[in-house]
Amino acid sequence: MVRKSRFRNVAVGVTLLWITLFVIIPYLFVVVVSFLERDSMHLIRWVFTLEHYRELFSPVFLAVCRNSFFLAFVTTVIALILAYPFAFILNRIPEKTRRFLILLMIIPFWTSSLIRTYALIILFKANGIINTFLLWLGIIEQPLNILYTEVAVFVGLVYTLLPFMILPLYASIQRLEPQLVEAARDLGATTKAVFLDIVLPITMPGIIAGCIMVFLPALGLFYIPDLLGGARSMLIGNFIKNQFLTTGNWPLGSAASVLLTLLMVLFLYGYYLSARRTSTGGMGRIA
Amino acid sequence: MEKVPIVRLRGVTKRFDDVVAVDTLDLDIYEGEFLTLLGPSGCGKTTVLRIIAGFETPDTGEIFMNGDRLTNIPPNKRNVNTVFQSYALFPHMNVFDNIAFGLKMKQCDKKSIQEEVRRAIDIVKLSGLEQRRPFQLSGGQQQRVAMARAIVNKPKVLLLDEPLSALDYRLRQEMQLELKRLHRQLGITFVFVTHDQVEAISMSDRIAVMNEGRIEQIGTPITIYEEPDNMFVARFVGEINVFDGRVKHVENGSAQVDIHGQRFKVQNKKNLFPGQDVTVLLRPEDIMVSPNGNGSGGEGPALSGSVDEVIYKGKTVDLIITLDQGETIFVTQFFNEDQENVVYSQGQRVDVDWLYGWEVVL
Ligand SMILES: Nc1ncnc2c1ncn2[C@@H]1O[C@H](COP(=O)(O)OP(=O)(O)O)[C@@H](O)[C@H]1O
Ligand SMILES: [Mg+2]
């Protein structure tokens, strides 16, 4: 027992140290920098200002936000529509097939998503695999313009983020007892009512978790619009990257980062509320 | 004129892979009765309920309700409600909304839903808990919500799948009485599933004893207990002593059976013939014990043996007796004023016999 608890202490300690060093301290830097003045020579000057937060309300940034939210929102909706039935099927198929499918879903994570995005270029470009194949089939006569369109960006975002939607949905559907569906049918519910009144509310925490895990990264995955999209497809992530790497406006980039973080906190609070509302306190508890 | 059963199963078979869960089963359930499906775990009780509810479609055979074919009607269109073994309460709804669910599905208006739910809550004695969520309730309360959620729809038939099995002993006794009260009060047909023979006997109008997907016997608790059709039923509904014998002589309505060299007179209901091997069954409380050499009332045949174990139970004394031929039998004796010497001591020599007509011959 003593050895076990010492191991636990060490493990927890190392994790805490790691998070402090590489997450909390850098993040505090970002917060501090966002309140400092910009300096073309030294990047920042140690003078307090709220200027950069005011800049976040400028038409330029608002346009980026609007576009970014639109991309992320559509990505989330597409991912949800694709993932929900898939997660359902995943729960209904035999154990062996299920494990295989989950493995297939996880394998791409072993490759950097940047490299996988380059792979998408090979699929999409004018003389890429998709066009060559369609031309060969005779379905089209001219190569389709896929690369550098919004469609390519959506495909890239959905492709990259889909597993983050499927996994929480899968978990929440797994917790839905089949008996509850039967009970609802028994009480006269149509298939539609079963879905709307039972399945949807009970799996809502999974839906919200999945949406958070797709929506937030979708705002920040700057290299996907960079590589696959036209100039119009700009995400908040691209904006932040540009402030740091192109314009050299670190404080503004930091302020935008802080905004993203606040958004995330807000979403997580929403998730917490919904999870509490549908909590079961151990469903099917006996006595 | 034959009574039309409210539910009729004809030749119903249900297989799961290579398991035959229900095997060409015929069953008639009558309006207003309390019918219990009794049998060991895995004998197909739940599957029968699920077929009546519509969750399973039989591979062969038909179900009728009031004479109409029900076989391919989906569960939400059947006038039948189920109380699930695990209760299956909706975790995201409070007690009120759980109970109101069926009425909402029927598109009843708000006011009548309010009234009906309130009435159901009163019937199952849950007043004051309307706003609680299922996980904030005790097992007994969850059970009541499950009952209320079903009966509020006024089903023709209420299906109950081992509804009491998750409750502790005391609560279970209480809920048994409660269920009987509900059955009387509502007049709804109850189809109740249990593997507990005591529960089945004390609650039911009729019992169907099931084994391996078939009904072994169906009848009133008294018939099932006192006149079992076969060894399975005899053994399943309570302790029983089994004697092998051979018919020696047949008379008008009775027969002489030889058991361990003693001639016993038994009832002849089954056209016994001389030379036939039979099994004579006796419930522990039907056997009479007397001190050795005395016989029963000093006359008639008896089997002798010695007392192995005396178990004092308060209302009764149970004796385990080993006969001289080596068989072990189980006897329950009630205290009464005429017979004071029911307390035997370990090792004491005794005679056992029974009154003519109390035996079952198979
Ligand atoms: N969905 C199912 N899939 C496979 N086998 C099943 C299924 N449901 C029941 N069975 C089998 O059918 C038999 C009867 O089951 P059940 O009706 O649940 O019995 P009981 O309720 O009397 O315990 C059992 O052998 C059980 O394993
Ligand atoms: Mg069962």
Side-chain angles (χ1 to χ4, degrees):
Chain A
M1 276 322 282
V2 175
R3 260 221 332 247
K4 222 175 188 174
S5 83
R6 184 182 301 160
F7 171 78
R8 219 188 58 165
N9 288 341
V10 170
V12 170
V14 168
T15 313
L16 273 183
L17 189 70
W18 180 275
I19 290 177
T20 311
L21 271 181
F22 297 108
V23 179
I24 296 181
I25 292 180
Y27 191 74
L28 285 178
F29 280 150
V30 170
V31 174
V32 170
V33 166
S34 73
F35 289 106
L36 298 179
E37 276 186 9
R38 181 185 174 195
D39 187 294
S40 44
M41 280 292 287
H42 305 94
L43 294 171
I44 49 167
R45 202 174 323 144
W46 287 88
V47 179
F48 177 83
T49 176
L50 289 172
E51 172 63 19
H52 309 295
Y53 285 94
R54 212 176 49 78
E55 262 182 84
L56 292 182
F57 293 94
S58 72
V60 181
F61 186 73
L62 286 182
V64 170
C65 271
R66 203 175 322 117
N67 189 47
S68 190
F69 279 112
F70 172 72
L71 282 176
F73 178 75
V74 174
T75 302
T76 307
V77 171
I78 296 173
L80 180 60
I81 291 171
L82 293 178
Y84 205 89
F86 185 77
F88 231 100
I89 294 165
L90 212 52
N91 264 294
R92 294 284 178 271
I93 55 177
E95 178 68 30
K96 250 184 156 166
T97 331
R98 170 165 52 223
R99 256 183 296 177
F100 179 67
L101 285 181
I102 291 177
L103 183 72
L104 279 189
M105 207 166 63
I106 289 171
I107 283 177
F109 283 105
W110 296 340
T111 315
S112 142
S113 79
L114 185 61
I115 290 172
R116 282 184 285 137
T117 309
Y118 274 106
L120 284 180
I121 295 180
I122 297 173
L123 281 175
F124 289 156
K125 64 186 176 182
N127 56 354
I129 292 172
I130 292 177
N131 273 318
T132 313
F133 185 66
L134 290 178
L135 284 169
W136 178 76
L137 281 179
I139 293 174
I140 53 169
E141 298 189 341
Q142 293 292 313
L144 293 175
N145 231 346
I146 313 174
L147 198 57
Y148 308 128
T149 63
E150 245 173 24
V151 174
V153 176
F154 282 134
V155 174
L157 286 172
V158 170
Y159 163 70
T160 310
L161 297 171
L162 193 61
F164 296 102
M165 183 65 91
I166 292 174
L167 291 175
L169 282 180
Y170 169 71
S172 74
I173 292 170
Q174 200 173 29
R175 279 195 298 270
L176 171 75
E177 285 186 33
Q179 286 252 295
L180 295 179
V181 173
E182 287 187 345
R185 305 269 303 154
D186 190 72
L187 294 164
T190 58
T191 309
K192 185 178 151 210
V194 169
F195 181 73
L196 292 179
D197 294 341
I198 307 298
V199 177
L200 203 58
I202 292 178
T203 57
M204 192 51 82
I207 294 174
I208 294 179
C211 287
I212 292 174
M213 284 170 74
V214 170
F215 189 82
L216 288 175
L219 293 174
L221 273 178
F222 58 85
Y223 53 85
I224 289 179
D226 268 1
L227 293 175
L228 301 176
R232 291 196 309 113
S233 309
M234 193 160 169
L235 297 171
I236 297 180
N238 298 77
F239 179 85
I240 295 172
K241 187 204 85 175
N242 289 344
Q243 298 316 310
F244 279 93
L245 301 184
T246 317
T247 334
N249 192 346
W250 281 29
L252 182 57
S254 299
S257 300
V258 171
L259 186 77
L260 263 189
T261 312
L262 288 178
L263 203 65
M264 182 169 75
V265 170
L266 205 70
F267 282 10
L268 287 179
Y269 184 65
Y271 171 71
Y272 164 76
L273 287 184
S274 103
R276 206 180 51 169
R277 209 173 61 77
T278 57
S279 90
T280 61
M283 192 168 56
R285 193 178 65 133
I286 285 165
Chain B
M1 203 183 76
E2 202 198 345
K3 249 200 310 183
V4 178
I6 188 159
V7 175
R8 160 167 278 183
L9 278 71
R10 276 292 167 270
V12 169
T13 298
K14 181 74 192 175
R15 270 184 217 90
F16 295 105
D17 305 320
D18 48 356
V19 181
V20 182
V22 178
D23 189 0
T24 46
L25 183 113
D26 293 333
L27 175 63
D28 285 345
I29 302 166
Y30 294 100
E31 176 104 50
E33 77 171 327
F34 194 125
L35 176 79
T36 296
L37 303 179
L38 171 68
S41 170
C43 72
K45 307 179 295 290
T46 297
T47 307
V48 171
L49 278 202
R50 290 174 59 81
I51 287 171
I52 299 173
F55 299 127
E56 308 282 358
T57 320
D59 298 329
T60 60
E62 300 280 357
I63 325 163
F64 303 90
M65 183 175 232
N66 285 324
D68 299 328
R69 230 175 80 172
L70 202 61
T71 316
N72 294 311
I73 309 272
N76 52 326
K77 302 229 174 73
R78 296 188 184 196
N79 207 345
V80 166
N81 285 115
T82 307
V83 176
F84 291 84
Q85 189 165 8
S86 61
Y87 311 144
L89 300 180
F90 304 129
H92 57 301
M93 297 182 191
N94 63 24
V95 168
F96 186 94
D97 290 335
N98 261 285
I99 298 172
F101 189 82
L103 299 175
K104 280 185 186 151
M105 291 301 116
K106 279 188 210 147
Q107 324 265 328
C108 296
D109 64 277
K110 267 225 163 74
K111 206 165 142 269
S112 70
I113 290 181
Q114 284 277 347
E115 270 169 33
E116 296 290 329
V117 172
R118 196 139 310 284
R119 190 170 314 147
I121 283 176
D122 281 345
I123 289 176
V124 300
K125 301 176 181 160
L126 276 175
S127 309
L129 300 179
E130 289 85 347
Q131 302 307 319
R132 293 263 191 100
R133 294 261 301 280
F135 69 88
Q136 297 168 311
L137 300 174
S138 71
Q141 290 166 335
Q142 291 184 20
Q143 164 78 72
R144 286 162 193 271
V145 178
M147 283 295 301
R149 188 177 68 172
I151 62 173
V152 77
N153 302 292
K154 303 198 167 68
K156 288 247 170 58
V157 179
L158 186 66
L159 308 173
L160 304 107
D161 192 356
E162 310 214 16
L164 309 181
S165 62
L167 306 179
D168 63 46
Y169 182 76
R170 284 294 293 275
L171 200 51
R172 204 170 160 151
Q173 303 287 314
E174 198 182 308
M175 286 307 291
Q176 284 179 6
L177 291 175
E178 196 86 337
L179 276 179
K180 283 300 286 177
R181 177 182 66 82
L182 278 175
H183 177 245
R184 268 197 310 275
Q185 190 175 342
L186 300 168
I188 296 174
T189 310
F190 276 38
V191 182
F192 181 88
V193 162
T194 183
H195 60 257
D196 179 340
Q197 39 97 9
V198 179
E199 193 167 280
I201 287 173
S202 63
M203 296 179 74
S204 322
D205 295 327
R206 285 198 306 155
I207 298 174
V209 182
M210 287 188 64
N211 184 29
E212 295 183 343
R214 287 183 312 273
I215 293 178
E216 296 280 354
Q217 186 177 1
I218 185 163
T220 63
I222 295 175
T223 313
I224 296 286
Y225 190 77
E226 295 188 358
E227 290 164 48
D229 279 351
N230 54 47
M231 281 305 287
F232 178 83
V233 175
R235 286 193 194 279
F236 196 78
V237 296
E239 292 274 357
I240 197 136
N241 296 296
V242 181
F243 301 100
D244 291 324
R246 173 164 292 166
V247 180
K248 284 293 176 198
H249 184 67
V250 180
E251 292 150 32
N252 203 8
S254 69
Q256 301 282 334
V257 173
D258 181 303
I259 299 172
H260 297 313
Q262 300 277 356
R263 285 280 179 94
F264 288 92
K265 188 180 173 197
V266 301
Q267 285 186 315
N268 182 3
K269 293 179 180 169
K270 289 192 172 166
N271 291 321
L272 302 174
F273 54 86
Q276 186 181 357
D277 286 325
V278 293
T279 322
V280 176
L281 306 179
L282 282 153
R283 296 279 174 208
E285 61 274 18
D286 292 342
I287 289 182
M288 303 201 308
V289 183
S290 51
N292 194 28
N294 210 2
S296 171
E299 56 181 289
L303 300 170
S304 51
S306 55
V307 176
D308 259 358
E309 204 76 66
V310 181
I311 306 150
Y312 176 74
K313 289 245 179 98
K315 267 183 291 192
T316 61
V317 178
D318 292 349
L319 300 177
I320 296 173
I321 295 168
T322 303
L323 299 183
D324 295 341
Q325 289 78 14
E327 280 170 271
T328 301
I329 63 168
F330 190 79
V331 180
T332 298
Q333 292 199 301
F334 293 88
F335 290 103
N336 65 45
E337 286 172 8
D338 309 337
Q339 199 185 354
E340 280 163 17
N341 55 340
V342 293
V343 182
Y344 293 87
S345 55
Q346 205 179 351
Q348 187 176 347
R349 299 280 305 160
V350 288
D351 277 337
V352 300
D353 62 355
W354 63 90
L355 289 180
Y356 167 71
W358 286 16
E359 77 290 329
V360 172
V361 182
L362 290 180

